[in-house]
Amino acid sequence: MITRIWAAVAVVPVVISVAFGAAYRLTHKPAEQPPPQVQSQPEPPELPLPELVAKLIEGGDPTCPGVGSLKYEACLLYQSALGVWRNVGFTRSCKPTAAEVGTPRQIRPEDAINAPKSSCFRSVYAVLVANTTPILSSTALHVFYLRGAPGFKQPGSDAEICIQVRHGICGNQAAVGLAFLELATIEARTVKYFYEYKGVRLSHINVEAMIDGKWRLIDTTYGAYWSEDTTGKAPFALAATDDIINDEKIRKNVSFNTALMPYSLYETFLNVDRFNYLSNKPDIVRGEAGTVGIDLTGNSGAENFNNIPNYVGDNVAGRPFTGLEYDLDPEEKTKPIDLTIEVSGASITGDKPAWVCVDAQCRRFNKDVKLVSFRTRAPDRLYIKTENDVAFVVMKSITWKVEQGS
C-alpha cells in the first residue's frame, strides 16, 4: 500500500514539469492540466465473522467468500451452528421448552449478530469446532509429511497454514481450534497437560471456551467434548475442564470420533486410552500460564525438558505478568543443593530489571546471561520476577548436586 502511494506521488512532478514545458513553448495555448492521480484506496477491514454471516444472509447468497482458508471454514462452521441453534428455537439454553421454541422461522441477519450471546450457540459452535478440526488438520497427513517429505516446513501455530496443508498434531490442532473460536468472537484459550503414564512423560494440548462463566473443554485432536449433565434431564452444556478432571462420572461422559485415523487403529492394536491425560494428575498450563513440576531425584542429576516446557516466565504481551513457573521437588530436603540453569535464550520487553528466582534468591538476567546458579536448601519454586510486560528465559538444562558429607 505504501509503495503504491509513493509511486503515485512521485509521478506528479514529472507530469507537472511536462505541462509547464508545453505552456512555455506554446504561449497562445492554455497549458493542459495534469490528469488527476488515482489514489489507491485502503482495503476495507475484514468484517468480524458474525457480521460477515449476517451480511450474507441479508444479501440472499449464503456462499462464504474466499477470504482465506481459515475464515472460509469458520464461516461454514458458524452457518452450521446457526442452523442447529435455529432448530432449538434461538434460545439461550440447549433444552428449550415448547413455549421457547415457538413457530419455526427463517434465520435472520440479527440472529447471526446475536448468536455469540447465547450459551447454546456457543456450545454448538464449540462442538462443531471439535468435530471439524481433526479432519481439516489431519494427524494422518502429519505422519506422511514427517516420514515422506523430510523437507516439509512445520506450520507450528499458524492456523491458516495448518488448514491449507491439512496437517496437524495436537499443538497444530489446538491452534486451529483456538482460531476458529476467536473468529466467532468466543473467548478461548489453550490448555496444556504434562503428566506421566506408565513411567513415561507425556503431554497433550486442547482448547477451552468461555461459556456461561466457565472454561469448558473440547479436544480438537480426537473430536471430543464432555457433557455437563450425567442424568439426561438437564439442558445440554459442555462440561468445565476442572469438573472433568475431578469427577470421574463426568470424565466418562465423553463423545468423540471413534473413526478418526490413525487413533482408531492405534487403539485397536495398542489398547491406548486417548484421554489418559485427564486422569493422571496432570500439571496444567492455561493460556501459557501455570505451574509444572520437576523432580530433583538423587544426589545429582539433570533436567533436559523432555515433554515439558523449557522456559520460565511470561511470553504473552498485554496482560498482567503471570506466565509459567516450576514447582521443584528435591528428594534431599536438608542438605545444601547447588542448582545451575543453562540458558539458551532470553527475552525482555521494557526497560525494567528482571530476575530469575528460586524461592527468595533472585539473580538478575539479560539476553547475554548463559548460566544462572543458586545454592539453597529444599528448593521449592522457580520463577521470573519483573515489572515488564514480557520476560522469559529459555533453558537448555537444569542440573543439581547435593552437598555431600556432614
Side-chain angles (χ1 to χ4, degrees):
M1 186 70 66
I2 293 175
T3 302
R4 291 198 296 271
I5 291 172
W6 278 105
V9 171
V11 171
V12 174
V14 177
V15 176
I16 291 175
S17 64
V18 171
F20 275 111
Y24 179 78
R25 292 190 300 271
L26 302 172
T27 55
H28 297 291
K29 289 183 64 177
E32 295 181 2
Q33 297 299 313
Q37 297 298 311
V38 178
Q39 300 294 322
S40 57
Q41 298 296 320
E43 296 179 3
E46 287 189 5
L47 288 174
L49 189 57
E51 294 179 29
L52 172 62
V53 175
K55 186 177 180 181
L56 296 176
I57 296 169
E58 187 176 31
D61 182 1
T63 306
C64 291
V67 288
S69 301
L70 183 71
K71 195 165 186 180
Y72 173 78
E73 298 292 349
C75 177
L76 296 175
L77 287 172
Y78 201 92
Q79 291 176 332
S80 302
L82 277 175
V84 176
W85 189 43
R86 179 264 180 199
N87 283 350
V88 296
F90 301 108
T91 57
R92 186 178 185 281
S93 74
C94 280
K95 192 173 182 181
T97 64
E100 285 179 306
V101 173
T103 304
R105 61 169 176 79
Q106 293 296 99
I107 300 171
R108 300 168 182 164
E110 58 267 28
D111 297 323
I113 298 294
N114 294 326
K117 301 174 186 176
S118 161
S119 61
C120 182
F121 175 86
R122 285 175 170 241
S123 297
V124 169
Y125 183 85
V127 169
L128 287 170
V129 169
N131 292 164
T132 306
T133 298
I135 305 298
L136 295 177
S137 182
S138 166
T139 298
L141 191 54
H142 163 77
V143 175
F144 168 77
Y145 281 127
L146 188 66
R147 303 303 180 195
F152 174 70
K153 184 179 179 181
Q154 298 291 331
S157 59
D158 190 320
E160 179 71 29
I161 297 178
C162 290
I163 293 292
Q164 288 174 359
V165 299
R166 292 292 194 265
H167 162 286
I169 52 176
C170 61
N172 313 109
Q173 292 154 341
V176 171
L178 180 68
F180 278 150
L181 288 162
E182 290 178 340
L183 281 170
T185 68
I186 297 172
E187 186 181 0
R189 65 186 183 186
T190 57
V191 192
K192 298 177 182 178
Y193 310 82
F194 302 96
Y195 63 103
E196 283 195 9
Y197 182 68
K198 295 183 178 180
V200 178
R201 261 191 194 165
L202 298 171
S203 62
H204 188 54
I205 177 172
N206 48 34
V207 182
E208 293 174 316
M210 175 57 73
I211 303 172
D212 266 356
K214 290 185 178 181
W215 290 104
R216 301 176 190 268
L217 185 65
I218 59 172
D219 191 312
T220 46
T221 298
Y222 306 126
Y225 62 93
W226 289 259
S227 178
E228 187 175 68
D229 176 49
T230 58
T231 66
K233 298 178 181 178
F236 170 75
L238 294 176
T241 309
D242 290 338
D243 293 339
I244 297 168
I245 292 172
N246 297 323
D247 189 327
E248 184 179 3
K249 196 172 183 181
I250 293 177
R251 191 161 61 247
K252 291 181 177 180
N253 200 27
V254 59
S255 300
F256 62 99
N257 189 342
T258 58
L260 276 175
M261 280 289 183
Y263 300 108
S264 58
L265 188 64
Y266 295 165
E267 285 191 338
T268 300
F269 293 104
L270 301 177
N271 194 29
V272 174
D273 175 13
R274 67 182 77 191
F275 303 113
N276 57 28
Y277 63 89
L278 293 167
S279 56
N280 282 276
K281 299 179 180 179
D283 293 329
I284 298 178
V285 176
R286 291 178 163 100
E288 306 301 327
T291 301
V292 175
I294 295 179
D295 294 328
L296 309 180
T297 55
N299 290 325
S300 63
E303 173 59 64
N304 296 309
F305 303 101
N306 176 38
N307 255 331
I308 62 172
N310 67 337
Y311 74 95
V312 59
D314 199 343
N315 62 358
V316 179
R319 69 178 183 185
F321 191 88
T322 50
L324 187 72
E325 59 181 57
Y326 288 86
D327 178 21
L328 305 177
D329 186 12
E331 187 175 8
E332 172 56 57
K333 307 292 186 183
T334 59
K335 295 179 180 179
I337 298 176
D338 291 316
L339 282 176
T340 302
I341 300 171
E342 185 177 358
V343 176
S344 59
S347 180
I348 305 171
T349 62
D351 54 4
K352 303 289 181 65
W355 294 269
V356 57
C357 304
V358 172
D359 300 328
Q361 294 186 45
C362 294
R363 306 285 186 266
R364 188 167 177 175
F365 75 91
N366 56 47
K367 297 177 182 178
D368 298 321
V369 171
K370 299 303 179 186
L371 290 175
V372 183
S373 299
F374 300 88
R375 186 174 177 83
T376 183
R377 294 175 189 267
D380 178 59
R381 181 186 175 213
L382 170 63
Y383 61 100
I384 297 293
K385 183 172 73 172
T386 187
E387 295 180 5
N388 292 303
D389 187 33
V390 169
F392 62 92
V393 169
V394 180
M395 300 176 288
K396 186 174 181 180
S397 67
I398 297 177
T399 58
W400 63 92
K401 186 174 182 180
V402 178
E403 182 183 88
Q404 299 302 301
S406 55

